[in-house]
Amino acid sequence: QVQLVESAGGLVQAGGSLRLSCAASGRTFSTYAMGWFRQAPGKEREFVAAISRGGVSTSYADSVKGRFTISRDYAGNTAYLQMNNLKPEDTAVYYCAAKSAYYSVNAYEQYDYWGQGTQVTVSS
């Protein structure tokens, strides 16, 4: 069992940066691949980024590639999403998620545990 708690998002101007964190409970953080998804009003939840259990492999949606970076800190049982050069279309509720293996990382139905979500708003 893993519990995920995301940090507060926020309001940022276009071109700005924001870092989200996702704190995981328990001692099994290293056994889970971690992912970030987002959902804008009226849209389906979409994949943003994922990182493997060992932190060696990462995957990004084309829309965020080169702007967002996913990372993880094993000492603090925390996953991060660094978001740079934010655009208004990045506005959404962001969710972190955990799954046991690093495959089909862009499929939200494959994830076992979810955080509560945090709002990110990018103004133009």
Side-chain angles (χ1 to χ4, degrees):
Q1 190 83 10
V2 176
Q3 291 186 328
L4 304 174
V5 179
E6 293 130 352
S7 60
L11 172 65
V12 63
Q13 288 189 331
S17 297
L18 197 62
R19 188 177 79 159
L20 301 180
S21 63
C22 173
S25 66
R27 301 178 180 178
T28 59
F29 178 67
S30 62
T31 66
Y32 290 93
M34 301 297 295
W36 286 93
F37 288 76
R38 66 187 182 187
Q39 187 165 19
K43 295 188 177 181
E44 292 191 354
R45 191 168 299 191
E46 66 172 358
F47 170 74
V48 176
I51 188 167
S52 61
R53 289 178 290 185
V56 174
S57 299
T58 56
S59 180
Y60 296 92
D62 288 342
S63 59
V64 307
K65 204 170 291 184
R67 300 187 298 123
F68 291 12
T69 302
I70 189 172
S71 61
R72 62 191 302 166
D73 168 35
Y74 296 93
N77 283 3
T78 302
Y80 299 97
L81 185 67
Q82 176 67 43
M83 304 184 291
N84 297 329
N85 190 22
L86 282 160
K87 304 176 180 180
E89 51 264 41
D90 294 319
T91 295
V93 176
Y94 282 71
Y95 299 88
C96 70
K99 68 191 306 289
S100 58
Y102 191 72
Y103 66 90
S104 299
V105 294
N106 60 341
Y108 70 85
E109 63 271 14
Q110 295 287 330
Y111 285 76
D112 302 306
Y113 304 101
W114 290 86
Q116 79 282 4
T118 188
Q119 178 69 48
V120 172
T121 302
V122 184
S123 64
S124 57

